[in-house]
Amino acid sequence: MKRKLTAAIMAACMVTGLLAGCGDSAADSSGSTSGDTQTEAVQESTTTTEAEAAPELSEEDKQAQEKVKMNIDELLANGLEIEDTDLTGEFSYWSAFTGDSAVWEQSRVDAFNELYADKGIKCNVQFVPDGAGVSNGKLLSAIAGGQAPDLIICDNATAAYSYAANGSFEMLQPYLDKVDLNVDNFFPGCKDVIYYKDEPYLIPQDTNVMLLYYNPDMVTEAGLGPETPTTTLDELDAWAEALTIQNDDGSYARFGLIPWLDLQTDAFTLPFFFGADVYDASTNTLNLTSPEMVACMEWFQSYGEKYDPERISSFTSGLGGMFSPDHAFMTGKVAMTITGNWFTGALRTYAPDVNYKVCAIPAPEGGRSNSTTFATNVFAIPQGSKNPELATLFIKFCMSGAVNEDNFAEWRSIPTSDAEFDNVSLTKNGDEIYALERELANSPENGIPALCSVSTELAKAMVTFRESVIYGNTTDIAGELQKLQDKYQAELDKNN
């Protein structure tokens, strides 16, 4: 979840030194599908100690803090209910969010702490890079050393699922029952990440859909129809060619599309649209050699062959990340890009004058058209948590529509169930992009691909493999995919 800040919240959080630099997204990611550029060190939110005397606040800062407090009243006015609970105490929380997202996270924690202060409940948040320590091993070390946090939120659902499959997270059902949090009405595609062997381990706080963004002005200049966007893979390739501008020296002034530009660490989204089913949970088997997966890799290969991977690499080397005004789509260096709904917020913030439209990601014949993968941030309770019930109380607070309303409004993130769409201001205001997101979110084809005990390692291997294909270093695509399948199937069998 990426957050655009109000000036008041930004000012208040800057006072306490919690504003991290906003950077590239893995979804990013994330957003969405996913997180921003990672901070260099864990940043802990604590009360200022006597040794670190707080600076004298300016009148402007005091007013900003006051506005943050007033947001609590707005939450209550918008339907947030304080749970009647006998729980009390403090709990630790590791958040993957950085940059603007971390500032919003802090405001959410502050609101929770104020709401439950009279019950003696307090959340102590730390901002931990690399998916709350999931991606860099920090969380595993904490669990092994008996120092695990009570709760995490991770911006890499695939990696988090690997942890669940490997026994690093608590099964949540008793705690969900305790706070009366029901996940039965979630989108079926979201349930892919909730359950491991039919028991809940992860809770998505919201979700995001994947879209094709295109610049209608460039499309019109190329003699194409921006009001009738591409719907098939062949049309997409034709648009990409028509929108590409090559200089006399062979370099490129503009690309129509670089398919993997905003999916650098995402191995499975595009194969999903080709119809690939990477993992079958019912039989615990991988299928990396399907015709659909091979076709997707051949499609990447065709872009490398057509446009020259070295020239593509040279072109992209100086480009800014998703949350940067130098992003290629914002500067007009690419006419189309594939990413999540969070990019609408980035465009509003960093390139408000750029004209754009969105549509469903085109799919080949037999692929998953008019559908989406779900990019989501997930809550989990690590093994060794000392306060799992308090942690689950915070999860329920974060699932509230009142708490998420600003997230939905600014980044067009979506609820985890269809019924909740009707309570979102974007729906009430007739937002066309949000209506498309709702349509895509209800496709029965949706899901989160490749969720298994080797998800993290497999994703990294597939990204490396994709790069090898693009650069022409792999010609026997099916044969090399078979080798990867054999290797990681053996790991799956070992873990089962």
PDB file of all heavy atoms in Angstrom, residues 236-266:
ATOM      1  N   LEU A 236      -1.652  -5.701 -28.836  1.00  0.00           N
ATOM      2  CA  LEU A 236      -0.695  -5.040 -27.950  1.00  0.00           C
ATOM      3  C   LEU A 236       0.666  -4.918 -28.625  1.00  0.00           C
ATOM      4  O   LEU A 236       1.310  -3.861 -28.573  1.00  0.00           O
ATOM      5  CB  LEU A 236      -0.567  -5.814 -26.640  1.00  0.00           C
ATOM      6  CG  LEU A 236       0.436  -5.257 -25.614  1.00  0.00           C
ATOM      7  CD1 LEU A 236       0.022  -3.862 -25.148  1.00  0.00           C
ATOM      8  CD2 LEU A 236       0.567  -6.196 -24.418  1.00  0.00           C
ATOM      9  N   ASP A 237       1.113  -5.988 -29.261  1.00  0.00           N
ATOM     10  CA  ASP A 237       2.402  -5.947 -29.951  1.00  0.00           C
ATOM     11  C   ASP A 237       2.379  -4.930 -31.094  1.00  0.00           C
ATOM     12  O   ASP A 237       3.371  -4.237 -31.344  1.00  0.00           O
ATOM     13  CB  ASP A 237       2.744  -7.334 -30.491  1.00  0.00           C
ATOM     14  CG  ASP A 237       3.051  -8.336 -29.381  1.00  0.00           C
ATOM     15  OD1 ASP A 237       3.352  -7.898 -28.250  1.00  0.00           O
ATOM     16  OD2 ASP A 237       2.998  -9.557 -29.652  1.00  0.00           O
ATOM     17  N   ALA A 238       1.243  -4.858 -31.803  1.00  0.00           N
ATOM     18  CA  ALA A 238       1.124  -3.889 -32.904  1.00  0.00           C
ATOM     19  C   ALA A 238       1.151  -2.459 -32.372  1.00  0.00           C
ATOM     20  O   ALA A 238       1.792  -1.575 -32.961  1.00  0.00           O
ATOM     21  CB  ALA A 238      -0.164  -4.146 -33.684  1.00  0.00           C
ATOM     22  N   TRP A 239       0.482  -2.234 -31.261  1.00  0.00           N
ATOM     23  CA  TRP A 239       0.524  -0.912 -30.621  1.00  0.00           C
ATOM     24  C   TRP A 239       1.957  -0.589 -30.183  1.00  0.00           C
ATOM     25  O   TRP A 239       2.427   0.541 -30.373  1.00  0.00           O
ATOM     26  CB  TRP A 239      -0.405  -0.893 -29.411  1.00  0.00           C
ATOM     27  CG  TRP A 239      -1.818  -0.554 -29.716  1.00  0.00           C
ATOM     28  CD1 TRP A 239      -2.545  -0.976 -30.799  1.00  0.00           C
ATOM     29  CD2 TRP A 239      -2.692   0.263 -28.932  1.00  0.00           C
ATOM     30  NE1 TRP A 239      -3.827  -0.486 -30.727  1.00  0.00           N
ATOM     31  CE2 TRP A 239      -3.944   0.284 -29.598  1.00  0.00           C
ATOM     32  CE3 TRP A 239      -2.562   0.952 -27.739  1.00  0.00           C
ATOM     33  CZ2 TRP A 239      -5.045   0.995 -29.105  1.00  0.00           C
ATOM     34  CZ3 TRP A 239      -3.652   1.650 -27.232  1.00  0.00           C
ATOM     35  CH2 TRP A 239      -4.872   1.680 -27.914  1.00  0.00           C
ATOM     36  N   ALA A 240       2.626  -1.555 -29.577  1.00  0.00           N
ATOM     37  CA  ALA A 240       3.990  -1.324 -29.104  1.00  0.00           C
ATOM     38  C   ALA A 240       4.893  -0.896 -30.256  1.00  0.00           C
ATOM     39  O   ALA A 240       5.698   0.035 -30.127  1.00  0.00           O
ATOM     40  CB  ALA A 240       4.534  -2.584 -28.437  1.00  0.00           C
ATOM     41  N   GLU A 241       4.748  -1.560 -31.400  1.00  0.00           N
ATOM     42  CA  GLU A 241       5.571  -1.219 -32.557  1.00  0.00           C
ATOM     43  C   GLU A 241       5.219   0.164 -33.095  1.00  0.00           C
ATOM     44  O   GLU A 241       6.111   0.974 -33.403  1.00  0.00           O
ATOM     45  CB  GLU A 241       5.386  -2.265 -33.655  1.00  0.00           C
ATOM     46  CG  GLU A 241       6.245  -2.019 -34.873  1.00  0.00           C
ATOM     47  CD  GLU A 241       6.138  -3.126 -35.903  1.00  0.00           C
ATOM     48  OE1 GLU A 241       5.339  -4.071 -35.688  1.00  0.00           O
ATOM     49  OE2 GLU A 241       6.860  -3.060 -36.914  1.00  0.00           O
ATOM     50  N   ALA A 242       3.923   0.463 -33.201  1.00  0.00           N
ATOM     51  CA  ALA A 242       3.491   1.745 -33.753  1.00  0.00           C
ATOM     52  C   ALA A 242       3.892   2.918 -32.864  1.00  0.00           C
ATOM     53  O   ALA A 242       4.126   4.034 -33.350  1.00  0.00           O
ATOM     54  CB  ALA A 242       1.975   1.731 -33.958  1.00  0.00           C
ATOM     55  N   LEU A 243       3.990   2.680 -31.584  1.00  0.00           N
ATOM     56  CA  LEU A 243       4.293   3.755 -30.626  1.00  0.00           C
ATOM     57  C   LEU A 243       5.788   3.916 -30.368  1.00  0.00           C
ATOM     58  O   LEU A 243       6.197   4.846 -29.668  1.00  0.00           O
ATOM     59  CB  LEU A 243       3.569   3.479 -29.311  1.00  0.00           C
ATOM     60  CG  LEU A 243       2.040   3.645 -29.349  1.00  0.00           C
ATOM     61  CD1 LEU A 243       1.383   2.960 -28.161  1.00  0.00           C
ATOM     62  CD2 LEU A 243       1.672   5.123 -29.378  1.00  0.00           C
ATOM     63  N   THR A 244       6.606   3.012 -30.893  1.00  0.00           N
ATOM     64  CA  THR A 244       8.054   3.087 -30.695  1.00  0.00           C
ATOM     65  C   THR A 244       8.674   4.055 -31.710  1.00  0.00           C
ATOM     66  O   THR A 244       8.324   4.040 -32.890  1.00  0.00           O
ATOM     67  CB  THR A 244       8.677   1.691 -30.856  1.00  0.00           C
ATOM     68  OG1 THR A 244       8.176   0.845 -29.810  1.00  0.00           O
ATOM     69  CG2 THR A 244      10.199   1.758 -30.746  1.00  0.00           C
ATOM     70  N   ILE A 245       9.584   4.886 -31.237  1.00  0.00           N
ATOM     71  CA  ILE A 245      10.311   5.830 -32.095  1.00  0.00           C
ATOM     72  C   ILE A 245      11.796   5.527 -31.980  1.00  0.00           C
ATOM     73  O   ILE A 245      12.365   5.583 -30.886  1.00  0.00           O
ATOM     74  CB  ILE A 245      10.030   7.291 -31.687  1.00  0.00           C
ATOM     75  CG1 ILE A 245       8.536   7.608 -31.818  1.00  0.00           C
ATOM     76  CG2 ILE A 245      10.857   8.248 -32.546  1.00  0.00           C
ATOM     77  CD1 ILE A 245       8.162   8.997 -31.311  1.00  0.00           C
ATOM     78  N   GLN A 246      12.416   5.193 -33.121  1.00  0.00           N
ATOM     79  CA  GLN A 246      13.837   4.860 -33.155  1.00  0.00           C
ATOM     80  C   GLN A 246      14.614   5.977 -33.840  1.00  0.00           C
ATOM     81  O   GLN A 246      14.195   6.516 -34.857  1.00  0.00           O
ATOM     82  CB  GLN A 246      14.067   3.534 -33.886  1.00  0.00           C
ATOM     83  CG  GLN A 246      15.462   2.961 -33.721  1.00  0.00           C
ATOM     84  CD  GLN A 246      15.561   1.522 -34.188  1.00  0.00           C
ATOM     85  OE1 GLN A 246      14.689   1.036 -34.910  1.00  0.00           O
ATOM     86  NE2 GLN A 246      16.601   0.815 -33.754  1.00  0.00           N
ATOM     87  N   ASN A 247      15.758   6.323 -33.244  1.00  0.00           N
ATOM     88  CA  ASN A 247      16.614   7.360 -33.810  1.00  0.00           C
ATOM     89  C   ASN A 247      17.415   6.823 -34.995  1.00  0.00           C
ATOM     90  O   ASN A 247      17.515   5.614 -35.208  1.00  0.00           O
ATOM     91  CB  ASN A 247      17.576   7.885 -32.736  1.00  0.00           C
ATOM     92  CG  ASN A 247      16.842   8.519 -31.570  1.00  0.00           C
ATOM     93  OD1 ASN A 247      15.869   9.255 -31.759  1.00  0.00           O
ATOM     94  ND2 ASN A 247      17.298   8.217 -30.357  1.00  0.00           N
ATOM     95  N   ASP A 248      18.012   7.733 -35.739  1.00  0.00           N
ATOM     96  CA  ASP A 248      18.795   7.347 -36.912  1.00  0.00           C
ATOM     97  C   ASP A 248      19.988   6.458 -36.560  1.00  0.00           C
ATOM     98  O   ASP A 248      20.411   5.627 -37.366  1.00  0.00           O
ATOM     99  CB  ASP A 248      19.291   8.600 -37.650  1.00  0.00           C
ATOM    100  CG  ASP A 248      18.154   9.378 -38.294  1.00  0.00           C
ATOM    101  OD1 ASP A 248      17.077   8.775 -38.498  1.00  0.00           O
ATOM    102  OD2 ASP A 248      18.331  10.582 -38.570  1.00  0.00           O
ATOM    103  N   ASP A 249      20.526   6.644 -35.350  1.00  0.00           N
ATOM    104  CA  ASP A 249      21.696   5.848 -34.962  1.00  0.00           C
ATOM    105  C   ASP A 249      21.315   4.485 -34.383  1.00  0.00           C
ATOM    106  O   ASP A 249      22.173   3.729 -33.921  1.00  0.00           O
ATOM    107  CB  ASP A 249      22.557   6.620 -33.962  1.00  0.00           C
ATOM    108  CG  ASP A 249      21.827   6.896 -32.646  1.00  0.00           C
ATOM    109  OD1 ASP A 249      20.648   6.491 -32.510  1.00  0.00           O
ATOM    110  OD2 ASP A 249      22.434   7.518 -31.744  1.00  0.00           O
ATOM    111  N   GLY A 250      20.042   4.172 -34.408  1.00  0.00           N
ATOM    112  CA  GLY A 250      19.589   2.878 -33.917  1.00  0.00           C
ATOM    113  C   GLY A 250      19.113   2.893 -32.475  1.00  0.00           C
ATOM    114  O   GLY A 250      18.474   1.933 -32.028  1.00  0.00           O
ATOM    115  N   SER A 251      19.436   3.931 -31.730  1.00  0.00           N
ATOM    116  CA  SER A 251      18.949   4.047 -30.358  1.00  0.00           C
ATOM    117  C   SER A 251      17.464   4.418 -30.382  1.00  0.00           C
ATOM    118  O   SER A 251      16.898   4.708 -31.437  1.00  0.00           O
ATOM    119  CB  SER A 251      19.751   5.099 -29.594  1.00  0.00           C
ATOM    120  OG  SER A 251      19.562   6.384 -30.179  1.00  0.00           O
ATOM    121  N   TYR A 252      16.871   4.412 -29.232  1.00  0.00           N
ATOM    122  CA  TYR A 252      15.430   4.657 -29.154  1.00  0.00           C
ATOM    123  C   TYR A 252      15.130   5.962 -28.429  1.00  0.00           C
ATOM    124  O   TYR A 252      15.689   6.251 -27.370  1.00  0.00           O
ATOM    125  CB  TYR A 252      14.731   3.503 -28.436  1.00  0.00           C
ATOM    126  CG  TYR A 252      14.725   2.231 -29.259  1.00  0.00           C
ATOM    127  CD1 TYR A 252      15.721   1.268 -29.098  1.00  0.00           C
ATOM    128  CD2 TYR A 252      13.741   2.013 -30.208  1.00  0.00           C
ATOM    129  CE1 TYR A 252      15.733   0.109 -29.858  1.00  0.00           C
ATOM    130  CE2 TYR A 252      13.736   0.850 -30.976  1.00  0.00           C
ATOM    131  CZ  TYR A 252      14.732  -0.095 -30.802  1.00  0.00           C
ATOM    132  OH  TYR A 252      14.739  -1.235 -31.559  1.00  0.00           O
ATOM    133  N   ALA A 253      14.223   6.727 -29.043  1.00  0.00           N
ATOM    134  CA  ALA A 253      13.717   7.934 -28.394  1.00  0.00           C
ATOM    135  C   ALA A 253      12.521   7.606 -27.513  1.00  0.00           C
ATOM    136  O   ALA A 253      12.273   8.268 -26.503  1.00  0.00           O
ATOM    137  CB  ALA A 253      13.324   8.975 -29.453  1.00  0.00           C
ATOM    138  N   ARG A 254      11.784   6.577 -27.927  1.00  0.00           N
ATOM    139  CA  ARG A 254      10.618   6.162 -27.134  1.00  0.00           C
ATOM    140  C   ARG A 254      10.298   4.706 -27.446  1.00  0.00           C
ATOM    141  O   ARG A 254      10.399   4.262 -28.592  1.00  0.00           O
ATOM    142  CB  ARG A 254       9.400   7.032 -27.470  1.00  0.00           C
ATOM    143  CG  ARG A 254       8.166   6.724 -26.622  1.00  0.00           C
ATOM    144  CD  ARG A 254       7.002   7.618 -26.981  1.00  0.00           C
ATOM    145  NE  ARG A 254       6.360   7.232 -28.238  1.00  0.00           N
ATOM    146  CZ  ARG A 254       5.586   8.031 -28.965  1.00  0.00           C
ATOM    147  NH1 ARG A 254       5.383   9.285 -28.576  1.00  0.00           N
ATOM    148  NH2 ARG A 254       5.033   7.590 -30.082  1.00  0.00           N
ATOM    149  N   PHE A 255       9.929   3.985 -26.423  1.00  0.00           N
ATOM    150  CA  PHE A 255       9.429   2.630 -26.603  1.00  0.00           C
ATOM    151  C   PHE A 255       7.905   2.644 -26.468  1.00  0.00           C
ATOM    152  O   PHE A 255       7.355   3.360 -25.613  1.00  0.00           O
ATOM    153  CB  PHE A 255      10.011   1.680 -25.555  1.00  0.00           C
ATOM    154  CG  PHE A 255      11.350   1.119 -25.926  1.00  0.00           C
ATOM    155  CD1 PHE A 255      12.513   1.695 -25.453  1.00  0.00           C
ATOM    156  CD2 PHE A 255      11.447   0.025 -26.760  1.00  0.00           C
ATOM    157  CE1 PHE A 255      13.761   1.186 -25.804  1.00  0.00           C
ATOM    158  CE2 PHE A 255      12.681  -0.499 -27.116  1.00  0.00           C
ATOM    159  CZ  PHE A 255      13.846   0.082 -26.640  1.00  0.00           C
ATOM    160  N   GLY A 256       7.273   1.828 -27.288  1.00  0.00           N
ATOM    161  CA  GLY A 256       5.837   1.660 -27.096  1.00  0.00           C
ATOM    162  C   GLY A 256       5.551   0.910 -25.811  1.00  0.00           C
ATOM    163  O   GLY A 256       4.692   1.293 -25.021  1.00  0.00           O
ATOM    164  N   LEU A 257       6.318  -0.154 -25.575  1.00  0.00           N
ATOM    165  CA  LEU A 257       6.135  -0.981 -24.382  1.00  0.00           C
ATOM    166  C   LEU A 257       7.413  -1.753 -24.096  1.00  0.00           C
ATOM    167  O   LEU A 257       8.029  -2.297 -25.015  1.00  0.00           O
ATOM    168  CB  LEU A 257       4.983  -1.978 -24.595  1.00  0.00           C
ATOM    169  CG  LEU A 257       4.744  -3.029 -23.496  1.00  0.00           C
ATOM    170  CD1 LEU A 257       4.172  -2.364 -22.248  1.00  0.00           C
ATOM    171  CD2 LEU A 257       3.806  -4.135 -23.994  1.00  0.00           C
ATOM    172  N   ILE A 258       7.815  -1.761 -22.847  1.00  0.00           N
ATOM    173  CA  ILE A 258       8.830  -2.693 -22.346  1.00  0.00           C
ATOM    174  C   ILE A 258       8.087  -3.556 -21.326  1.00  0.00           C
ATOM    175  O   ILE A 258       7.828  -3.103 -20.200  1.00  0.00           O
ATOM    176  CB  ILE A 258      10.023  -1.964 -21.702  1.00  0.00           C
ATOM    177  CG1 ILE A 258      10.661  -0.996 -22.710  1.00  0.00           C
ATOM    178  CG2 ILE A 258      11.057  -2.965 -21.195  1.00  0.00           C
ATOM    179  CD1 ILE A 258      11.748  -0.105 -22.116  1.00  0.00           C
ATOM    180  N   PRO A 259       7.675  -4.761 -21.699  1.00  0.00           N
ATOM    181  CA  PRO A 259       6.725  -5.517 -20.863  1.00  0.00           C
ATOM    182  C   PRO A 259       7.131  -5.657 -19.405  1.00  0.00           C
ATOM    183  O   PRO A 259       6.281  -5.643 -18.511  1.00  0.00           O
ATOM    184  CB  PRO A 259       6.659  -6.883 -21.565  1.00  0.00           C
ATOM    185  CG  PRO A 259       7.004  -6.592 -22.989  1.00  0.00           C
ATOM    186  CD  PRO A 259       8.030  -5.498 -22.929  1.00  0.00           C
ATOM    187  N   TRP A 260       8.426  -5.822 -19.161  1.00  0.00           N
ATOM    188  CA  TRP A 260       8.901  -6.104 -17.801  1.00  0.00           C
ATOM    189  C   TRP A 260       9.360  -4.845 -17.063  1.00  0.00           C
ATOM    190  O   TRP A 260       9.856  -4.941 -15.943  1.00  0.00           O
ATOM    191  CB  TRP A 260      10.060  -7.102 -17.859  1.00  0.00           C
ATOM    192  CG  TRP A 260      11.174  -6.638 -18.784  1.00  0.00           C
ATOM    193  CD1 TRP A 260      12.240  -5.850 -18.466  1.00  0.00           C
ATOM    194  CD2 TRP A 260      11.297  -6.918 -20.185  1.00  0.00           C
ATOM    195  NE1 TRP A 260      13.032  -5.622 -19.572  1.00  0.00           N
ATOM    196  CE2 TRP A 260      12.473  -6.275 -20.647  1.00  0.00           C
ATOM    197  CE3 TRP A 260      10.541  -7.661 -21.097  1.00  0.00           C
ATOM    198  CZ2 TRP A 260      12.895  -6.345 -21.975  1.00  0.00           C
ATOM    199  CZ3 TRP A 260      10.965  -7.729 -22.417  1.00  0.00           C
ATOM    200  CH2 TRP A 260      12.125  -7.087 -22.842  1.00  0.00           C
ATOM    201  N   LEU A 261       9.164  -3.670 -17.640  1.00  0.00           N
ATOM    202  CA  LEU A 261       9.714  -2.438 -17.066  1.00  0.00           C
ATOM    203  C   LEU A 261       9.326  -2.257 -15.602  1.00  0.00           C
ATOM    204  O   LEU A 261      10.176  -1.967 -14.753  1.00  0.00           O
ATOM    205  CB  LEU A 261       9.245  -1.226 -17.881  1.00  0.00           C
ATOM    206  CG  LEU A 261       9.683   0.145 -17.345  1.00  0.00           C
ATOM    207  CD1 LEU A 261      11.206   0.310 -17.470  1.00  0.00           C
ATOM    208  CD2 LEU A 261       8.965   1.270 -18.090  1.00  0.00           C
ATOM    209  N   ASP A 262       8.061  -2.400 -15.272  1.00  0.00           N
ATOM    210  CA  ASP A 262       7.587  -2.193 -13.901  1.00  0.00           C
ATOM    211  C   ASP A 262       7.278  -3.512 -13.204  1.00  0.00           C
ATOM    212  O   ASP A 262       6.535  -3.548 -12.219  1.00  0.00           O
ATOM    213  CB  ASP A 262       6.366  -1.281 -13.896  1.00  0.00           C
ATOM    214  CG  ASP A 262       6.727   0.152 -14.236  1.00  0.00           C
ATOM    215  OD1 ASP A 262       7.726   0.656 -13.685  1.00  0.00           O
ATOM    216  OD2 ASP A 262       6.033   0.765 -15.065  1.00  0.00           O
ATOM    217  N   LEU A 263       7.866  -4.581 -13.710  1.00  0.00           N
ATOM    218  CA  LEU A 263       7.710  -5.913 -13.108  1.00  0.00           C
ATOM    219  C   LEU A 263       9.074  -6.551 -12.908  1.00  0.00           C
ATOM    220  O   LEU A 263       9.246  -7.756 -13.093  1.00  0.00           O
ATOM    221  CB  LEU A 263       6.832  -6.791 -14.013  1.00  0.00           C
ATOM    222  CG  LEU A 263       5.418  -6.284 -14.273  1.00  0.00           C
ATOM    223  CD1 LEU A 263       4.775  -7.060 -15.412  1.00  0.00           C
ATOM    224  CD2 LEU A 263       4.563  -6.382 -13.015  1.00  0.00           C
ATOM    225  N   GLN A 264      10.046  -5.742 -12.516  1.00  0.00           N
ATOM    226  CA  GLN A 264      11.443  -6.197 -12.466  1.00  0.00           C
ATOM    227  C   GLN A 264      11.636  -7.420 -11.589  1.00  0.00           C
ATOM    228  O   GLN A 264      12.402  -8.326 -11.927  1.00  0.00           O
ATOM    229  CB  GLN A 264      12.341  -5.055 -11.977  1.00  0.00           C
ATOM    230  CG  GLN A 264      12.413  -3.864 -12.916  1.00  0.00           C
ATOM    231  CD  GLN A 264      13.197  -4.145 -14.175  1.00  0.00           C
ATOM    232  OE1 GLN A 264      14.107  -4.962 -14.165  1.00  0.00           O
ATOM    233  NE2 GLN A 264      12.864  -3.482 -15.262  1.00  0.00           N
ATOM    234  N   THR A 265      10.974  -7.458 -10.450  1.00  0.00           N
ATOM    235  CA  THR A 265      11.127  -8.592  -9.529  1.00  0.00           C
ATOM    236  C   THR A 265       9.894  -9.487  -9.502  1.00  0.00           C
ATOM    237  O   THR A 265       9.777 -10.358  -8.648  1.00  0.00           O
ATOM    238  CB  THR A 265      11.431  -8.095  -8.108  1.00  0.00           C
ATOM    239  OG1 THR A 265      10.335  -7.278  -7.654  1.00  0.00           O
ATOM    240  CG2 THR A 265      12.711  -7.270  -8.076  1.00  0.00           C
ATOM    241  N   ASP A 266       8.978  -9.262 -10.421  1.00  0.00           N
ATOM    242  CA  ASP A 266       7.727 -10.016 -10.475  1.00  0.00           C
ATOM    243  C   ASP A 266       7.850 -11.088 -11.554  1.00  0.00           C
ATOM    244  O   ASP A 266       7.847 -10.793 -12.747  1.00  0.00           O
ATOM    245  CB  ASP A 266       6.570  -9.070 -10.785  1.00  0.00           C
ATOM    246  CG  ASP A 266       5.219  -9.741 -10.690  1.00  0.00           C
ATOM    247  OD1 ASP A 266       5.139 -10.949 -10.986  1.00  0.00           O
ATOM    248  OD2 ASP A 266       4.239  -9.062 -10.344  1.00  0.00           O
TER     249      ASP A 266
END
